Amino acid sequence: MGKVGFRLSTKKFAAVAALLAGGALVTSFTAPARAVEHKKMLVVGFDGMDPKQLRRMIDEGLMPNMKRLIAEGDFRTLGTSIPPQSPVAWSNFITGQNPGGHNIFDFIHRDPKTYIPYLSTSEAVSSDKSLKLWGDWQIPLGGGEVLNLREGEAFWEELEKHGVPTTIFKIPANYPPGESKKIRSISGMGTPDMQGTPGMFSYYTTHPMENADDISGGHVYDIYFDRGRATSAIHGPANPFHKSGEDSECPITIFRDEENGVAKVVVGDGDDEVLLKTGEWSGWIPVEFYMLDDDGFGGFVRPAAAPAGLAISGIVKFYLKSVSPEFSLYCTPVQIDPIDPAQPVSTPPDWSKEIAEKCGRFYTQGMPEDTKALEGGVFDDGEFLDQATRILEERIGLFKKQVDEFAAQDWGFLFFYFSSLDQQTHMMWRCTDPSHPAADEESAHYPDAIRHIFERLDYAVGYAREHLSDDVDLVIMSDHGFAPWYREVHLNSWLYDNGYIALKDPSPEAREQSDFFMNVDWRRTKAYALGINGLYINVRGREKYGTVAPGAEREALENELVQKLKELRDPKSGKLAIKEVYKSDDVYSGKYAKNAPDLNVGYNREFRGSNQSALGEFPMEWFSDNTGKWSGDHCIAADLVPGILVSNRKVRYNDPKLYDLTATILAEFGIDKPSEMIGTPVF
Amino acid sequence: MWTIVHGVTTFFDGLIGLFGSMNPLVGLSVVSVITGGIMLVVWKFTSNQEAIADAKTKIGAYILEIRLFQADLGLQFAAQAKAFRANLKYMSLAVPPMLIVLIPVVIILVQLDVRYQRRPLLPGETTLFKVEVAEGVDPGDVTLTVPDGITVETPPMRMPSVSEVDWRIRADREGEYELTVAVRDAKFTKRVVVGNELTRLSEARDQAGILGVWMSPAEAPLPKNSPVRMICLAYPDREMKLFGVGLHWLLVFFVVSVAFGFAIKGWVGVEV
């Protein structure tokens, strides 16, 4: 038997050779140049690390690893975004642009055609195609999808084009994680729970809570024990088989032994059980939500017979708060299970499973520290700190694993994000600041709440230094700093009292009770504040009921507002409440700058826009004491809350910004930054 | 009955113990191969080999007839009916030996299940230790004593509505332990294994009957009419991997035993 192959004549061979050579030539001109190999760079993001606090902690000897790093390299403040809100700031870093380039201007945006606020970072789009059946039943004919609303190219896409092995761990504003063949990423802030919310806890109690309906981030369920046994349910995603879209449920049975102070939770049909003492947390418990529930198609299909695809799994942790005389059990928001994700939380989609198999299951929710449980009175300060510490330790465990794997790589880039400092500084500032209006006897028990996190983050830095070789570029950065928040500014109330907003019903009841701008008479309104820092002119032709002509009239109004707002004083202290009002034309560039709020209010230290005003309520006063648990903040003038840049490399200039760091990463790998990126390399 | 079951279990302890230091797949594969051989031999001596061969030959002939006479619809239908009847005959011949083969296979499967389905606890792992009491017994009367190497992490969780009392226990060190449950004057033990070895594990010790004893061979049953109905604890699932791919032991067992049986049936001269 002869050899099988192709025989080419000399002429044909010459032609093929010429084609191949030509192809190679064309490829050499069109394919991106290969990046600088053997380069390794680790960037660690400490959300909310403030330069002044960092300096103080170093001086107090709590951060020896950071101290050594600074001694070998450099420490600079890092210019944050306008406004200094995490999704905005991290998007600046991700895209190397200002918000005009990535289209995230605030936590909250508005639709100018309806004035309705919506979350700025992602949007869930549900399918409305379904086959209607009898009763409340239907068969969905299409799946919904979640869209990442951040525009602009992420820096890791550039790294990917140049073949740089890249891992992005939990960076904010990256949900859902994009598709990629080479990048590994886990989504961070913005990743919802299984109900599609930022985080909806469940609280089962025999002690009815008066404020149960006011708790925004959780459901309180009243339960009743009969011979030591009670039943309830964990709520999951909306059931697409119900026309009404009601939540799917996983039943739970709770037993309690009052004398011994223990309780047992049986999840589902007994697949998982957990026994807890008072004050204990469980590990991760898998929960399954059957879309064909107990009444499955009118009892025609039982849950146990449901095909695997009709059961959606998640994971929860329980915390047994008390057993007797009143019973209280906290259950975390249902997390997307990294081992069996109902929606992808990683790129590639099965990478979350790989991590969970190595390190154990982990919180996939974007910001898992349950600030809402603390604000709602479900957690006390100690319980919140306990949960937050567990989350931080879980994250440190994941970090160590990533560092170990990175250490074994020849080259590449790793970004790793820690949320704990930001969330705990928001909630615990009052514990460290006796002059805060929300400081009380309980908060005084935790003066070291924030110091402890600095210590643990320093441990993480130490681990990275110890396990990575000296030639690895190590960058520690934060998106913004922090400040106390003593006084709430009800900006919309000020706008109303100064004649910029008209209300349909100006009575005190209507002002305080109607939210989402439902009480605004748009046809007589000139300007309105929406989001924490945004202020919009009601521009004719842009807004549905615009009243202000674009051009000179709009500019005059903007100038008038800037001047008046910068003179706004707090009657209690006489302090100026607003340090700077930024005009969008002055601070934003890029193709989405047209979507920006016309003005951005940069509050002074100790002040911040109120939550009521941000969502369109109109309290009677312009200022009030902030007596909530959320006591520290950073949504103020950008120059008052810079972030940090610490590196084992010398920084070339004094005033680096977040987007300069993006350009730096690309430059370190020998990659020319795309024309949209506005930063300058700092090394 | 327990003495016989225990004898069988001890035999499997010895057999699988020969491969104790190797990958669990090795012992499982060896038992699967032996099972394949046993199935073939039992089949040979419990089936009507001549009748089976005859039925298979006829099925082949009728299928050939269907292929050859495609143009003759009448012959086609007649051949299909005959093939169908021959098939029924073949199946009726296969059922009795199959039922007989099933007995040793089930016994082997149960013995494999108690070794390959679960793994022992690892040091640091926790599990629930549950005691179900008989009607009329107060769960509050039950006490638990553990040896050094096991820690009881919680007070008893008494559930009178389901006649049960639970504890959460933690494995501290590798070893085999006997935990003692006492109700009034009666005492009962439950074996708990901590470590990484391949060994038989019993999740539940109960008042099993004759069949139950065969189905729960890893531990002796509780005495009949004792105040404790069942003692149980959950072991984690055992994960077995071949070249990084997870495999369930049942899949390995069926593939290897059937493949081996078919591979040697010609050599042994068995008509299947």
Side-chain angles (χ1 to χ4, degrees), chain A residues 203-213 215 219-225 230 254 256 258 321-329 376-378:
Chain A
Y203 187 56
Y204 308 92
T205 181
T206 54
H207 182 59
M209 294 178 73
E210 283 180 9
N211 66 336
D213 292 338
I215 297 174
H219 292 301
V220 178
Y221 301 100
D222 295 337
I223 57 170
Y224 307 94
F225 280 92
I254 304 166
R256 71 166 165 177
E258 293 186 72
K321 192 175 163 73
S322 66
V323 172
S324 179
E326 300 294 350
F327 179 88
S328 303
L329 176 74
V378 168

Side-chain angles (χ1 to χ4, degrees), chain A residues 609-658:
Chain A
S610 71
N611 291 332
Q612 299 100 301
S613 186
L615 289 172
E617 289 180 43
F618 294 84
M620 295 303 289
E621 68 273 35
W622 296 351
F623 293 90
S624 58
D625 272 340
N626 173 25
T627 54
K629 307 278 188 187
W630 190 282
S631 48
D633 212 282
H634 45 80
C635 300
I636 60 176
D639 61 330
L640 294 177
V641 281
I644 62 140
L645 169 59
V646 174
S647 174
N648 57 357
R649 300 273 304 275
K650 290 288 178 196
V651 176
R652 282 192 301 175
Y653 53 94
N654 272 336
D655 191 26
K657 304 277 194 296
L658 279 163

Side-chain angles (χ1 to χ4, degrees), chain A residues 371 375 423 426-427 430 485 608 626 628-633:
Chain A
T371 57
E375 288 180 304
Q423 295 294 283
H426 275 303
M427 307 310 291
R430 66 204 152 79
W485 178 22
R608 206 208 79 177
N626 173 25
K629 307 278 188 187
W630 190 282
S631 48
D633 212 282

Side-chain angles (χ1 to χ4, degrees), chain B:
Chain B
M1 182 58 70
W2 170 246
T3 312
I4 302 169
V5 173
H6 187 59
V8 173
T9 306
T10 307
F11 168 75
F12 274 90
D13 282 345
L15 177 64
I16 294 174
L18 293 174
F19 313 97
S21 58
M22 301 178 194
N23 185 315
L25 281 170
V26 177
L28 177 61
S29 301
V30 170
V31 175
S32 305
V33 163
I34 295 170
T35 308
I38 291 172
M39 283 197 294
L40 209 61
V41 172
V42 174
W43 181 275
K44 180 176 182 176
F45 292 108
T46 56
S47 63
N48 184 340
Q49 289 283 292
E50 280 180 23
I52 286 175
D54 186 48
K56 282 173 69 179
T57 307
K58 281 181 177 168
I59 291 167
Y62 295 135
I63 289 172
L64 190 63
E65 192 177 342
I66 291 166
R67 283 191 181 167
L68 285 174
F69 300 103
Q70 289 182 12
D72 190 331
L73 210 58
L75 263 177
Q76 280 261 321
F77 281 130
Q80 281 182 19
K82 283 187 271 187
F84 181 69
R85 274 200 302 273
N87 234 323
L88 284 179
K89 171 78 175 168
Y90 172 74
M91 284 193 282
S92 68
L93 290 167
V95 168
M98 193 120 50
L99 289 175
I100 296 168
V101 164
L102 216 52
I103 295 168
V105 168
V106 168
I107 290 170
I108 293 168
L109 278 174
V110 170
Q111 290 289 339
L112 292 177
D113 179 78
V114 297
R115 291 170 176 82
Y116 289 98
Q117 182 63 35
R118 314 267 177 201
R119 64 161 172 81
L121 296 171
L122 294 175
E125 283 185 335
T126 62
T127 190
L128 289 194
F129 188 86
K130 306 198 276 191
V131 176
E132 270 183 46
V133 293
E135 212 167 296
V137 177
D138 182 358
D141 290 342
V142 182
T143 59
L144 171 67
T145 311
V146 299
D148 196 25
I150 300 283
T151 301
V152 180
E153 290 195 328
T154 64
M157 168 74 223
R158 298 160 305 177
M159 293 165 279
S161 58
V162 289
S163 299
E164 187 179 317
V165 55
D166 295 357
W167 291 263
R168 193 178 69 220
I169 60 168
R170 188 185 67 236
D172 294 328
R173 282 197 311 277
E174 290 193 5
E176 267 191 49
Y177 302 97
E178 295 261 311
L179 277 60
T180 306
V181 172
V183 187
R184 299 167 192 156
D185 296 333
K187 287 188 177 178
F188 309 92
T189 58
K190 174 83 187 76
R191 176 175 171 261
V192 177
V193 186
V194 182
N196 213 5
E197 67 195 70
L198 182 66
T199 181
R200 66 187 144 88
L201 299 171
S202 154
E203 286 207 305
R205 188 179 177 205
D206 60 6
Q207 300 175 22
I210 293 174
L211 190 62
V213 168
W214 281 102
M215 301 309 283
S216 307
E219 205 163 13
L222 292 169
K224 289 280 177 200
N225 303 319
S226 61
V228 170
R229 236 177 6 212
M230 179 157 53
I231 308 172
C232 50
L233 82 159
Y235 287 105
D237 281 341
R238 180 182 290 280
E239 287 181 0
M240 285 196 292
K241 288 192 173 179
L242 183 64
F243 304 119
V245 179
L247 289 173
H248 195 278
W249 69 268
L250 261 177
L251 181 71
V252 177
F253 173 78
F254 279 114
V255 169
V256 174
S257 59
V258 171
F260 181 74
F262 272 94
I264 64 163
K265 74 183 175 71
W267 179 66
V268 180
V270 178
E271 199 66 58
V272 179

